[in-house]
Amino acid sequence: MPERAVPDETTALRAEVVNWMRAHLVGDFAPLRHRGHAGDGDALPELRKRWERELASGGWTCVGWPREHGGRGLSITEQVAFQEEYARAGGPGRMGHIGEGLIGPTLIAYGTESQKARFLPRILGGEDFWCQGYSEPGAGSDLAALRTRATRDPATGDWLVSGQKIWTSLAHVSDWIFALARCEEGSVGRKGLIFLMLPLRQPGVTIHPIRQMGGGEEFNSVFFDNARASAEDVVGEPGEGWSIAMALLGFERGVSTLGQQMVFAEELQLIIDIARENGAAHAPVIRQRIARAWIGLRALRFSALRVLGADGSAPLGREALGYKYQWSNWHRDLGRLAMDVLGGDANIISDDPRRARLQQLFLFSRADTIYGGTNEIQLNIIAEQGLGMPREPRGSLT
Amino acid sequence: MRLALSPDQEMMREEAARILAERSSSSAVRRVIDAGASRDDAIWNALSRELGWCGVAIPERHGGLGLGLFDLALLLEETGRRLLCAPFFATAGCAAPLLAHAASDEAQARWLPRIAAGECAATVAWPASGSLVNDILLTAERAGGEYVISGVVDQVLDVRNADIILAPARFDGEIGLFTLERSAGLHLQSHRTLDATRNIGRLHADRAPASRVDDPARLAHGATRAADWSKLLLAAEQVGGAQACLDLTLAYIAERVQFGRAIASFQAVKHRCAKLAIEIETARSLVWGAASGVDQGADDWEASLDVAGALVAATEIYNLAAEEAIQLHGGVGFTWEYDPHLYFKRAQASAAWFGAPETHLERVAQHLFDEHEHA
Ligand SMILES: Cc1cc2nc3c(=O)[nH]c(=O)nc-3n(C[C@H](O)[C@H](O)[C@H](O)COP(=O)(O)OP(=O)(O)OC[C@H]3O[C@@H](n4cnc5c(N)ncnc54)[C@H](O)[C@@H]3O)c2cc1C
């Protein structure tokens, strides 16, 4: 598999990461290699939390955060190098990614000084783990239809939250949740929302795992019954939650996707190896599909480099708007290809870890085109924001 | 590596887009087609002589700008978008790279400055498979101190418009690269083509006088690299064409009203346009990535796989975008008067150069399965 090896300004950093991983992803941590990625997100949670603290001790958490907030202040190019080497070394899926990639940057941009002081060091240190409470049973694609309510406790100024969140990934192993709730009586849509941070371990919070089609329990229902968010733990102004919630999603611009692509490359290599071993490599149609998958992966890499190459100040270009659709559909197709290469074996559960991994890929990749905005919603966004086409009309049912 | 246009590249691209919008408009292209000319002299002179586009990627010592494949690809994207009727791809995209990669120093010094100055249109008489190593159709013989060439190449790009034709030919059990100029022994016959925006003709050489221009030490490797340049540039042109199909469709469907609303407001229509946009960007990413890999000295075989990928993606999306343009225009999409068919035909014609997608995919597969040595 081609891999560019042109030396550049990241060469020294890459070597540092390689050496550190070689020295640390061993012993107790060895079982974590290649674990905990999509579809395997609930694997070995306690060990992976310890691993986050190990990473922190080496200064390898939050490498893209500014130095004043405890990060390494790495440039985009350097962050990409870190992500790639981390993934290449078999680094496990990051338990801390919601803290590091979503709420942390949001607090850095919009948080109060006290919020930054209280939350950022514990994210950096691998001490607090976060989950994202946006979706509700009645508010999926149409997130603004959410009903969870937040009312002010006149005695303390704290917010009391009641309602239900659903599909909350990793809530069962997290410490904190950030949630979007309705704080203005009778408000509808994007108005009257509040962005709150709540500790999960408190009497008003109940978490029920939901079993996924792959058999695992990575996501949950989170029930709030007068759960308490401290008056200090509102981000932005009450009533302005929508803009914070959207800004948070904007931080997912995709540095980590280049690390994710290393995992994709491993999956494709596995498929190639198996095709060679079981003879599927002789079938012209399979060969072409594998070639297409490889080309598609190169396209993902180049698209990500384009997205990252944009300076971030301009509105997202079409290539950025389309990136989620591009990778998720590529990955879903790869899952199908994996099964077709396995043939009859695809159906048989065995101890072969390679086969199990591809079976999980097949199943989990069905979620890639649902979470983070479904395919259909992505296409609406591209049509409307990227191509300037008319907006979807809203219906009147609630 | 980041893939972003520098301010200079942005400027070059905008300038090219502006000039082509003005001078290679739909009506200008249609005038060329109606005249059966396949070449718009005014615009060819403007871009080759005044603007120096043919020299963009020719080294400075030969009078060019010395820029890279990426820069040239940006220009081809714009010419593809406007269905430019001129031998630009043949000259700057096929002949110049072949000279630069495979010709002797002397031949380079002779021809590249003329191409860079816009004094000479050129093409390559390679078989439609695009392989300069296999499928050689011409034969050279020594005649006195010079050479003569005989044989037939049925499809040569812009053969009518070229002042010189680079011709790979068998010679004494080897392969050499020769130049052919107009002569009594050279019979050129334009084909009547579905795509009337680009000339294709038959070359029949009957002991036509030729000069040998290759540097034998460079030829095999250089020809492969040059073919990668041409494939990549054709892909760039196709991405531009696909973009034009989407753009003209968006403009039409924003205006056309049915059921009391613009047809652009139907989700079925929006989603198809959004998918086109994604696939166009995907192909563009491959073109940019492959081109900048070549410019930055990526391994030859890696570059060549990326080029293959770009060409497959661009070929497919151009054809799809042209089909969708026809469909989403409805009845007018089927007329001569509206532009989709011009792109539809160019897309079809371009798909056949350098071999079908299956061939490129098979090459990628061979590399992935390590079935032969890396070239
Ligand atoms: C594995 C996984 C992890 C997740 N993790 C989290 C998490 O941590 N936190 C969180 O808040 N949420 C999470 N989600 C929820 C996810 O964001 C939602 O599932 C998603 O937004 C879709 O909402 P929905 O499930 O209600 O589907 P619906 O909105 O009901 O959609 C059903 C179908 O209708 C289509 N549809 C809906 N609206 C339109 C429209 N306007 N035009 C065309 N088609 C439309 C959809 O595309 C889809 O195909 C997760 C989901 C999954 C699968």
Side-chain angles (χ1 to χ4, degrees):
Chain A
M1 303 272 289
E3 202 40 67
R4 221 177 285 276
V6 186
D8 61 15
E9 74 271 25
T10 66
T11 308
L13 173 70
R14 285 180 189 273
E16 199 185 336
V17 180
V18 170
N19 289 332
W20 192 89
M21 292 293 283
R22 201 175 285 145
H24 293 261
L25 190 52
V26 289
D28 286 356
F29 294 122
L32 289 182
R33 260 191 228 131
H34 299 288
R35 295 303 303 274
H37 294 292
D40 187 33
D42 53 354
L44 306 166
E46 290 314 314
L47 189 57
R48 277 164 65 214
K49 287 183 182 177
R50 269 179 57 206
W51 170 248
E52 290 287 323
R53 290 189 279 275
E54 185 76 9
L55 277 175
S57 71
W60 295 115
T61 54
C62 310
V63 294
W65 290 13
R67 282 173 183 279
E68 55 177 307
H69 297 299
R72 285 198 181 216
L74 296 189
S75 70
I76 299 269
T77 314
E78 290 166 331
Q79 291 176 55
V80 168
F82 168 73
Q83 296 285 354
E84 289 185 345
E85 296 309 330
Y86 179 84
R88 210 195 307 271
R94 294 286 313 278
M95 286 289 281
H97 81 273
I98 297 178
E100 168 169 337
L102 296 177
I103 190 67
T106 305
L107 290 177
I108 289 172
Y110 303 100
T112 62
E113 289 313 313
S114 129
Q115 287 169 347
K116 290 181 204 173
R118 282 183 298 128
F119 292 113
L120 298 182
R122 296 185 58 83
I123 295 174
L124 268 162
E127 290 163 282
D128 281 349
F129 294 90
W130 285 78
C131 62
Q132 172 175 17
Y134 279 13
S135 305
E136 298 183 6
S141 299
D142 184 12
L143 177 60
L146 64 88
R147 292 176 172 207
T148 294
R149 291 150 50 95
T151 48
R152 196 134 205 183
D153 175 357
T156 57
D158 290 349
W159 293 88
L160 297 174
V161 179
S162 293
Q164 183 192 351
K165 296 291 174 183
I166 195 169
W167 320 128
T168 320
S169 298
L170 301 176
H172 58 307
V173 288
S174 297
D175 307 292
W176 286 80
I177 185 168
F178 55 86
L180 205 51
R182 204 160 280 293
C183 65
E184 287 169 21
E185 195 78 38
S187 68
V188 289
R190 300 169 179 194
K191 303 217 178 71
L193 300 179
I194 187 167
F195 188 103
L196 291 168
M197 301 183 285
L198 298 90
L200 285 166
R201 270 177 291 260
Q202 59 165 310
V205 175
T206 317
I207 298 172
H208 284 310
I210 306 173
R211 191 156 189 214
Q212 300 178 325
M213 62 185 258
E217 296 183 345
E218 260 183 61
F219 58 25
N220 306 270
S221 276
V222 178
F223 296 89
F224 297 119
D225 181 11
N226 277 322
R228 188 172 290 266
S230 148
E232 297 186 317
D233 291 343
V234 184
V235 185
E237 296 298 315
E240 305 290 317
W242 183 261
S243 61
I244 301 292
M246 291 301 111
L248 177 138
L249 295 180
F251 289 114
E252 253 182 333
R253 263 216 180 167
V255 175
S256 64
T257 64
L258 279 147
Q260 176 191 5
Q261 286 179 24
M262 303 300 272
V263 177
F264 291 175
E266 277 169 16
E267 291 167 349
L268 176 55
Q269 188 59 52
L270 199 52
I271 294 170
I272 290 171
D273 293 344
I274 291 174
R276 198 188 282 124
E277 290 161 24
N278 74 7
H282 299 302
V285 173
I286 292 286
R287 296 173 70 79
Q288 303 227 337
R289 286 172 63 194
I290 287 177
R292 279 181 192 281
W294 181 83
I295 293 167
L297 186 58
R298 295 297 287 173
L300 285 178
R301 175 177 172 81
F302 296 139
S303 292
L305 290 169
R306 283 175 71 195
V307 175
L308 297 173
D311 65 6
S313 58
L316 287 182
R318 288 177 189 176
E319 73 277 9
L321 291 172
Y323 185 70
K324 156 84 205 313
Y325 187 96
Q326 195 187 340
W327 76 252
S328 58
N329 287 273
W330 178 88
H331 200 220
R332 201 173 71 173
D333 290 349
L334 190 74
R336 171 61 69 191
L337 175 60
M339 295 301 101
D340 291 346
V341 164
L342 280 169
D345 289 349
N347 186 40
I348 311 297
I349 293 176
S350 86
D351 293 335
D352 177 355
R354 301 190 310 169
R355 191 190 301 178
R357 185 165 177 197
L358 294 183
Q359 286 166 329
Q360 272 306 316
L361 161 66
F362 172 61
L363 297 176
F364 192 80
S365 60
R366 305 316 294 186
D368 289 337
T369 53
I370 297 173
Y371 66 76
T374 66
N375 264 359
E376 291 71 24
I377 296 302
Q378 298 298 328
L379 293 175
N380 283 347
I381 292 172
I382 293 156
E384 292 168 15
Q385 293 175 29
L387 305 179
M389 298 178 82
R391 294 188 71 89
E392 288 298 301
R394 266 207 83 86
S396 56
L397 301 175
T398 47
Chain B
M1 181 175 84
R2 287 206 205 183
L3 274 179
L5 301 191
S6 69
D8 282 350
Q9 287 169 328
E10 281 290 2
M11 221 164 69
M12 183 181 77
R13 184 157 90 143
E14 276 166 26
E15 183 67 0
R18 190 185 59 73
I19 290 166
L20 290 161
E22 221 167 73
R23 310 194 56 167
S24 186
S25 62
S26 163
S27 52
V29 169
R30 283 164 178 278
R31 273 197 301 279
V32 178
I33 294 174
D34 292 343
S38 79
R39 162 166 164 177
D40 180 333
D41 286 323
I43 191 162
W44 171 242
N45 286 335
L47 64 83
S48 63
R49 287 175 195 268
E50 294 158 31
L51 299 166
W53 283 7
C54 293
V56 161
I58 288 177
E60 283 171 300
R61 66 177 186 284
H62 293 310
L65 292 180
L67 301 176
L69 178 56
F70 195 161
D71 297 87
L72 192 53
L74 293 176
L75 286 182
L76 265 299
E77 215 178 294
E78 297 305 323
T79 59
R81 193 176 201 148
R82 293 290 174 181
L83 295 171
L84 174 71
C85 299
F88 180 58
F89 171 65
T91 304
C94 298
L98 183 55
L99 284 166
H101 284 89
S104 64
D105 292 344
E106 189 193 340
Q108 292 194 23
R110 168 141 188 240
W111 291 111
L112 290 177
R114 296 183 57 191
I115 291 176
E119 291 162 6
C120 170
T123 190
V124 181
W126 50 27
S129 71
S131 166
L132 289 188
V133 188
N134 311 312
D135 312 333
I136 299 295
L137 300 163
L138 301 171
T139 321
E141 290 168 73
R142 224 178 247 290
E146 268 300 327
Y147 297 86
V148 291
I149 283 190
S150 301
V152 174
V153 182
D154 188 50
Q155 294 198 18
V156 180
L157 274 186
D158 275 304
V159 77
R160 170 164 84 191
N161 299 316
D163 302 303
I164 60 160
I165 299 165
L166 293 179
R170 291 194 190 285
F171 173 68
D172 242 5
E174 310 164 35
I175 292 166
L177 183 64
F178 298 83
T179 48
L180 288 165
E181 295 175 69
R182 302 211 174 227
S183 71
L186 188 63
H187 310 285
L188 306 176
Q189 170 78 53
S190 292
H191 292 299
R192 289 176 57 222
T193 46
L194 273 185
D195 165 29
T197 62
R198 181 139 64 197
N199 175 254
I200 293 174
R202 173 182 158 99
L203 175 154
H204 174 196
D206 182 8
R207 296 185 61 81
S211 312
R212 182 158 184 181
V213 293
D214 59 281
D215 174 341
R218 289 181 192 150
L219 184 60
H221 182 254
T224 311
R225 298 283 75 76
D228 278 344
W229 272 58
S230 303
K231 289 174 192 168
L232 188 281
L233 292 166
L234 181 65
E237 204 192 78
Q238 297 188 93
V239 167
Q243 184 70 58
C245 291
L246 175 59
D247 292 346
L248 62 91
T249 301
L250 289 172
Y252 180 78
I253 65 182
E255 299 295 324
R256 171 75 177 162
V257 172
Q258 287 293 285
F259 300 97
R261 48 201 270 211
I263 57 176
S265 69
F266 296 112
Q267 194 178 59
V269 173
K270 286 166 69 176
H271 282 191
R272 287 166 74 165
C273 292
K275 281 187 195 166
L276 284 182
I278 293 167
E279 289 189 34
I280 291 169
E281 293 307 335
T282 301
R284 183 173 279 131
S285 294
L286 282 162
V287 167
W288 288 14
S292 79
V294 168
D295 287 342
Q296 290 167 21
D299 287 347
D300 287 340
W301 63 272
E302 177 189 330
S304 132
L305 294 195
D306 279 340
V307 167
L311 187 57
V312 171
T315 299
E316 292 179 347
I317 186 57
Y318 193 5
N319 282 279
L320 177 65
E323 288 163 9
E324 290 287 77
I326 293 172
Q327 179 67 24
L328 293 175
H329 275 71
V332 301
F334 188 66
T335 63
W336 189 268
E337 184 190 344
Y338 279 72
D339 285 349
H341 74 101
L342 301 179
Y343 291 92
F344 185 61
K345 292 168 185 167
R346 173 74 87 92
Q348 163 56 33
S350 305
W353 285 100
F354 304 121
E358 297 77 56
T359 321
H360 306 302
L361 291 172
E362 177 53 27
R363 276 195 49 224
V364 172
Q366 283 172 6
H367 277 283
L368 295 179
F369 288 113
D370 278 330
E371 286 164 347
H372 64 68
E373 287 301 296
H374 295 150

